[in-house]
């Protein structure tokens, strides 16, 4: 039996390729709703009850839960905080400024002095950076698009940061030593999600999200905590997905689906069908792709409002990857260099 620990010991895991693929799937998914304004136009929305982008975000949270738990346990709380802050904040700050001051200035219908003087511009910057507000519009920008807001994906960062803080609290309280608490948390969240599905009427999206993303993050964390025992098995992953499909339409469908997806994504990262250094690239374009995909698609739709999602899909993917590469080389990689220096100095001092 191949365990998670054995998968980690092998060279060239595929987490870099998996994260980039998930980010690109988010871009593909949003390509449809950006052009029509209808979320149900996104792939898989009618078939599975969740968009392709939501399935991809599920994968992100599973990988994140796994990797940041490993980071906390191997580096300790102080280095964990430094690593998380320098991975999230510089890219987000740069993207917010590029979109608001750069893209907004180029695309606003207002005179440029009026745009820069508009309080809405600075409220957008503040809201995006402090509360990860993703439904805020810029003055005169994308006024004719179905969705006006230019950074529609940053809302997930709020849940990501909350999960980071919860994990940090567990580390500081040393409760991660009692690893059985993590499966207990997962069970509680799964039961709560199933119980919420039994309510009359459709489950509020905010309630579902506040249970879904921590559930998946905790599943990734548990698979690291139980790395010495947890098996890596494609038949088991397939069985979980099949079971979820059989439960479609029931209250058990969401929790079983999310658990199955988390496990399958981690199998893909640790026991990929093909092992190659190219699947573990040094340049991590996933974060930049996730941040810039939406504003690139919004800009393309504003320029070519009559073009279909299929016509804009290719250009949006190419442009997003180009901007993500620029973000990596100019902002994210230098920030990670600071992380290495700060952590390295602390280790050397110790």
């Amino acid at each position: 039996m191949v365990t998670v620990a054995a998968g980690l010991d092998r060279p060239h895991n595929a987490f870099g390729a998996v994260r980039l693929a998930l980010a690109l799937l988010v871009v593909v998914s949003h390509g449809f709703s950006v052009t029509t304004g209808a979320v149900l136009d996104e792939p898989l929305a009618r078939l599975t009850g969740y968009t392709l982008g939501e399935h991809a975000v599920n994968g992100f949270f599973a990988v994140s839960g796994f990797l940041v738990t490993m980071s906390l346990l191997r580096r300790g709380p102080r280095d964990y905080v430094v690593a998380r802050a320098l991975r999230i904040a510089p890219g987000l700050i740069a993207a917010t400024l590029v979109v608001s001051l750069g893209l907004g200035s180029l695309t606003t219908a207002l005179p440029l002095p009026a745009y820069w003087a508009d309080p809405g511009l600075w409220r957008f910057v503040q809201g995006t950076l402090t509360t990860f507000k993703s439904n805020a519009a810029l003055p005169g920008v994308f006024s004719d698009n179905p969705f006006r807001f230019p950074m529609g994906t940053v809302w997930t960062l709020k849940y990501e940061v909350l999960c980071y803080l919860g994990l940090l609290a567990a580390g500081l309280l040393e409760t991660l030593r009692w690893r059985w608490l993590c499966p207990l948390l997962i069970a509680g969240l799964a039961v709560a999600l199933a119980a919420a599905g039994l309510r009359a009427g459709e489950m509020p999206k905010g309630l579902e999200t506040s249970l879904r993303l921590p559930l998946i993050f905790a599943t990734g964390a548990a698979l690291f905590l139980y790395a010495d025992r947890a098996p890596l098995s494609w038949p088991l992953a397939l069985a979980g997905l099949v079971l979820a499909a059989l439960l479609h339409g029931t209250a058990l469908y969401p929790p079983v689906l999310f658990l199955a997806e988390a496990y399958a994504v981690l199998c893909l990262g640790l026991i990929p069908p093909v092992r190659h250094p190219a699947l573990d690239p040094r340049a991590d374009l996933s974060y930049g792709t996730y941040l810039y995909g939406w504003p690139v698609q919004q800009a393309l739709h504003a320029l070519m409002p009559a073009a279909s999602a299929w016509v804009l899909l290719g250009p949006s993917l190419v442009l997003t990857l180009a901007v993500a590469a620029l973000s990596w080389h100019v902002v994210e990689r230098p920030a990670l260099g600071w992380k290495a220096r700060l952590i390295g100095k602390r280790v050397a001092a110790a």
Side-chain angles (χ1 to χ4, degrees):
M1 179 183 69
V2 178
T3 63
V4 170
L8 281 172
D9 288 338
R10 295 178 177 180
H12 307 308
N13 66 62
F15 281 129
V18 167
R19 285 185 301 207
L20 180 57
L22 292 171
L24 290 172
L25 289 178
V26 171
V27 177
V28 171
S29 180
H30 289 161
F32 295 85
S33 59
V34 162
T35 56
T36 66
V39 174
L40 287 178
D41 287 343
E42 294 196 30
L44 301 183
R46 288 185 174 87
L47 179 63
T48 67
Y50 301 94
T51 67
L52 178 62
E54 287 176 310
H55 290 294
V57 167
N58 291 348
F60 268 123
F61 271 74
V63 173
S64 179
F66 183 87
L67 293 179
V68 301
T69 301
M70 177 168 60
S71 172
L72 175 61
L73 290 177
R74 291 183 175 179
R75 292 175 171 169
R78 287 187 302 177
D79 289 348
Y80 167 83
V81 171
V82 171
R84 294 301 92 217
L86 289 177
R87 187 66 188 101
I88 294 292
L92 175 63
I93 293 170
T96 302
L97 296 178
V98 166
V99 169
S100 59
L101 305 183
L103 181 62
S105 297
L106 292 173
T107 58
T108 183
L110 300 179
L112 198 55
Y115 175 75
W116 279 72
D118 196 304
L121 168 62
W122 309 108
R123 283 198 301 268
F124 172 87
V125 174
Q126 181 185 25
T128 304
L129 295 180
T130 58
T131 62
F132 308 107
K133 190 174 183 180
S134 62
N135 61 351
L138 285 168
V141 176
F142 304 143
S143 300
D144 296 325
N145 283 14
F147 297 117
R148 288 196 58 198
F149 41 91
M151 292 191 68
T153 60
V154 297
W155 66 270
T156 63
L157 297 180
K158 173 178 65 177
Y159 292 95
E160 185 89 2
V161 170
L162 289 173
C163 288
Y164 290 167
L165 293 175
L167 181 63
L168 176 62
L172 292 173
L173 295 172
E174 298 187 351
T175 55
L176 291 177
R177 293 182 302 171
W178 307 327
R179 58 183 184 177
W180 53 269
L181 286 175
C182 196
L184 188 64
L185 173 63
I186 293 168
L189 290 169
V191 169
L193 189 58
L198 294 173
R199 297 177 45 182
E202 188 175 355
M203 188 192 313
K205 198 65 178 177
L207 173 61
E208 181 194 67
T209 302
S210 65
L211 294 171
R212 168 173 65 101
L213 298 181
L215 168 64
I216 296 168
F217 185 93
T219 302
L223 285 170
F224 180 78
L225 293 175
Y226 284 89
D228 57 330
R229 297 183 185 179
L232 289 174
S233 166
W234 278 115
L236 184 58
L238 180 60
L241 294 172
V242 170
L243 177 60
L246 293 174
L247 291 171
H248 193 287
T250 72
L252 291 176
Y253 170 65
V256 172
L257 174 66
F258 302 150
L259 292 171
E261 286 184 331
Y263 181 75
V265 166
L266 289 170
C267 283
L268 191 60
L270 290 168
I271 50 169
V274 177
R275 282 190 175 271
H276 193 276
L279 295 177
D280 189 20
R282 292 185 178 182
D284 183 1
L285 306 187
S286 59
Y287 188 40
T289 298
Y290 186 77
L291 287 176
Y292 288 101
W294 182 277
V296 165
Q297 289 172 305
Q298 286 279 68
L300 286 175
H301 180 67
L303 288 172
M304 296 176 282
S308 69
W310 291 108
V311 170
L312 295 180
L313 187 57
S316 68
L317 289 171
V318 172
L319 285 174
T320 298
L321 284 172
V323 177
L326 191 62
S327 173
W328 169 256
H329 289 290
V330 175
V331 178
E332 297 169 58
R333 187 172 68 174
L336 292 179
W338 275 106
K339 179 188 77 172
R341 283 191 285 274
L342 288 172
I343 293 175
K345 287 179 181 178
R346 192 172 295 135
V347 171

